[in-house]
Amino acid sequence: MPKVVLVAAIGRGHALAKKFHQSGVEVHSLMPFHNPGIASCSKSFVIGNINDPTAVAQFAQKIDPDYVFVAGDDPIAAGAADAVQELGFPAIAPVKSVARLESDKAFARQFMKEFVPDGTPAFEVFNDVQAAGDYIDAMSFDVVIKPSGLTGGKGVKVQGVQFKSKAEGKAYAKECLNTYAGGVVVEEKLDGEEFSLHCFVDGSHFATMPLVQDHKTAFDGDTGPMTGGMGTYTMADGKLPFVTDTDYQKALSIVQRTVDGIREKTGVKYKGILYAQFMLTSSGPYLIEYNVRFGDPEAMNLMPLMKTNFHDVCTAIVDEELEDFHVQFEPKASICKYVVPAGYPERKDKIPFKIDVSQMGDIDLYYSGIEQKPDGTLWTTGSRGFGLVSLDSTLNGAYNALESTIAKLDLTGFRYRKDIGSQASIQKKIERMERIRAGNAAITLGQTVRSN
Ligand code: AMP
Ligand code: GLY
């Protein structure tokens, strides 16, 4: 029986563990707290510091797996893949120098400018408060301010959403420079609909997964503070209704040039998951960012839909045989909704989890920020609590099935976004994209008056 060491923590890890288990793989997990979902799919597990590459390497040495799958950005950025490869174990995750595509937004934007300039907005990187402020003042467009390092998706602030005036933007840039190391990226705000393209990558070739749309803001109607993602959907045809074939082809071309560019720039092959996050603008898709791992909640949509044996996919990545390998997905729509403690993301509510999981019917439940204590009770960690996933031949069918199950649950102390995946919400997105395309026929993005 093949063996995997899975380094994971949250709902994404539960979805991966379950898929490995269903694919006949023996799962051995290293996790930062006792996630009952990951544990239930694992032959063995250890609670430890997943962000310590030495701890990951020691666990791998003990288990002697076929490969190590690292699920999350922090352990990948810390060098988990490097550490296990040194011991001779293949890693399904890029090494630290390549993981900078996600962990270092300044590096990522500079890489994009070099290899995919047609998918890159205007930006500058600053280490100096005055220079950042001058750039913001000089811009004719709205800006987005991002600390360069990892912030769990919560450090980014967008003008018109999380702040209004340039003065507020300048104050936030200053706060970032005072709080985080590595500088701040100030970039052009892109207007449109976001979508995620996940790919398995073997160093030179890639296999695509269905397109996903995430909902990053905390409340219905895409309002409120940024979160790690409140919910996601996919369509039965693997595309999204507002993404044209031309858009899709450009996204594929960007991924191919990224995979080739990494080999050229670093001399290292990208092996693992590449999740390119795009903004679909009136001029086609532009990169918002790269992620070097599965999205969370996106993995909870994609793993249940994947028909191909997961071990075969991982083996094709390790052996660099993805070129002729077709990864198949069910022709079904899916919705994943996160149920979060009511105070999330501002407060870290620690409340008991008492959902009767036997009442879920066809809906899958994935444990995320839910910890099993030594006495067996389950508590929220304060982060996103659990993901509920529904699959159906149509998105509307998936939506209705999910909502009717949610209606039966006692969600006291929790909340979720009802709008995600509803017909009204999808229609609004289609119409919004039509308006953007009509109003700004192919505006030029990615060019700016330089501040120097
Ligand atoms: P990131 O952490 O880079 O994924 O950014 C978090 C969120 O900020 C994204 O999902 C977008 O909603 C938003 N965002 C980031 N960059 C831009 C941009 N250049 N234009 C508009 N929105 C952006
Ligand atoms: N769902 C967004 C992320 O995983 O980054």
Side-chain angles (χ1 to χ4, degrees):
M1 197 179 205
K3 266 194 281 188
V4 62
V5 158
L6 177 65
V7 181
I10 54 176
R12 164 181 54 209
H14 184 182
L16 292 166
K18 187 171 172 182
K19 198 70 187 176
F20 273 125
H21 184 65
Q22 288 169 341
S23 298
V25 180
E26 197 175 282
V27 181
H28 298 268
S29 302
L30 178 67
M31 48 184 160
F33 60 88
H34 185 161
N35 176 317
I38 299 175
S40 71
C41 305
S42 302
K43 167 112 174 154
S44 78
F45 67 89
V46 163
I47 312 294
N49 181 2
I50 61 172
N51 296 328
D52 173 7
T54 310
V56 176
Q58 280 171 352
F59 186 55
Q61 201 154 30
K62 189 175 134 211
I63 300 296
D64 192 22
D66 292 73
Y67 43 80
V68 177
F69 195 111
V70 193
D73 34 341
D74 284 329
I76 296 177
D82 311 58
V84 299
Q85 281 177 9
E86 261 172 45
L87 296 176
F89 299 111
I92 314 280
V95 294
K96 193 172 174 173
S97 58
V98 173
R100 288 178 74 201
L101 280 181
E102 175 168 4
S103 61
D104 179 344
K105 289 187 195 291
F107 171 83
R109 280 295 185 214
Q110 276 143 1
F111 175 91
M112 290 174 203
K113 194 165 155 185
E114 194 175 342
F115 292 96
V116 286
D118 54 331
T120 310
F123 73 95
E124 291 285 341
V125 182
F126 297 99
N127 285 293
D128 175 74
V129 173
Q130 182 67 40
D134 291 347
Y135 182 77
I136 293 169
D137 276 336
M139 287 305 97
S140 55
F141 41 72
D142 281 1
V143 294
V144 178
I145 295 169
K146 306 179 168 185
S148 187
L150 285 176
T151 56
K154 298 173 200 89
V156 174
K157 289 200 177 175
V158 180
Q159 189 169 357
V161 185
Q162 287 84 19
F163 69 93
K164 298 280 177 262
S165 66
K166 290 205 164 181
E168 285 172 81
K170 286 184 343 187
Y172 184 58
K174 183 175 175 185
E175 185 188 325
C176 291
L177 284 170
N178 290 335
T179 315
Y180 307 104
V184 67
V185 180
V186 180
E187 63 187 43
E188 177 179 15
K189 179 183 171 184
L190 299 166
D191 198 16
E193 283 296 324
E194 287 179 47
F195 68 93
S196 308
L197 173 58
H198 284 68
C199 304
F200 297 106
V201 184
D202 74 358
S204 308
H205 312 104
F206 64 95
T208 56
M209 302 181 225
L211 295 182
V212 194
Q213 191 174 40
D214 189 13
H215 297 74
K216 287 279 182 92
T217 49
F219 304 118
D220 277 35
D222 294 326
T223 55
M226 290 290 187
T227 71
M230 290 295 294
T232 34
Y233 69 91
T234 65
M235 306 291 286
D237 65 356
K239 304 284 172 57
L240 291 167
F242 40 82
V243 176
T244 67
D245 280 349
T246 311
D247 297 329
Y248 189 64
Q249 290 308 320
K250 180 176 167 188
L252 294 182
S253 154
I254 286 174
V255 169
Q256 186 65 65
R257 284 180 282 150
T258 301
V259 173
D260 294 340
I262 276 294
R263 234 180 24 251
E264 185 183 322
K265 194 170 181 74
T266 65
V268 178
K269 288 181 176 168
Y270 191 117
K271 287 191 169 195
I273 311 302
L274 175 63
Y275 143 27
Q277 198 190 333
F278 291 100
M279 183 72 85
L280 184 56
T281 72
S282 61
S283 308
Y286 275 68
L287 278 165
I288 292 178
E289 66 168 357
Y290 293 120
N291 298 289
V292 299
R293 36 84 196 173
F294 270 105
D296 188 295
E298 288 88 336
M300 291 182 266
N301 298 81
L302 296 170
M303 284 298 100
L305 287 170
M306 190 166 74
K307 284 204 283 191
T308 309
N309 182 286
F310 198 15
H311 175 61
D312 293 346
V313 180
C314 291
T315 304
I317 294 173
V318 171
D319 295 343
E320 301 180 15
E321 285 175 349
L322 273 184
E323 187 177 12
D324 301 316
F325 195 93
H326 186 51
V327 184
Q328 289 190 308
F329 290 84
E330 298 277 0
K332 284 185 175 170
S334 69
I335 303 189
C336 176
K337 291 201 187 193
Y338 251 123
V339 182
V340 301
Y344 175 83
E346 255 95 27
R347 289 198 319 264
K348 286 209 163 293
D349 301 344
K350 311 249 172 156
I351 55 174
F353 170 94
K354 290 185 173 157
I355 304 294
D356 182 358
V357 292
S358 67
Q359 298 302 308
M360 303 300 294
D362 287 339
I363 305 301
D364 284 331
L365 184 147
Y366 293 94
Y367 293 93
S368 199
I370 304 285
E371 179 174 12
Q372 183 168 332
K373 300 288 185 190
D375 65 3
T377 57
L378 303 182
W379 292 78
T380 60
T381 63
S383 219
R384 293 172 295 173
F386 56 98
L388 295 176
V389 176
S390 173
L391 307 186
D392 193 76
S393 55
T394 67
L395 187 61
N396 204 34
Y399 179 86
N400 289 335
L402 190 52
E403 286 299 320
S404 64
T405 294
I406 290 176
K408 290 185 213 143
L409 303 178
D410 176 6
L411 293 183
T412 309
F414 288 93
R415 68 174 180 82
Y416 76 104
R417 275 185 61 170
K418 196 174 174 69
D419 62 337
I420 293 169
S422 73
Q423 265 180 332
S425 143
I426 306 296
Q427 191 53 33
K428 238 164 77 184
K429 289 168 189 298
I430 294 171
E431 287 167 12
R432 175 158 182 263
M433 222 36 246
E434 283 170 0
R435 271 200 313 278
I436 288 173
R437 286 192 167 111
N440 292 326
I443 57 166
T444 307
L445 296 168
Q447 293 181 1
T448 180
V449 184
R450 302 267 166 231
S451 58
N452 51 9

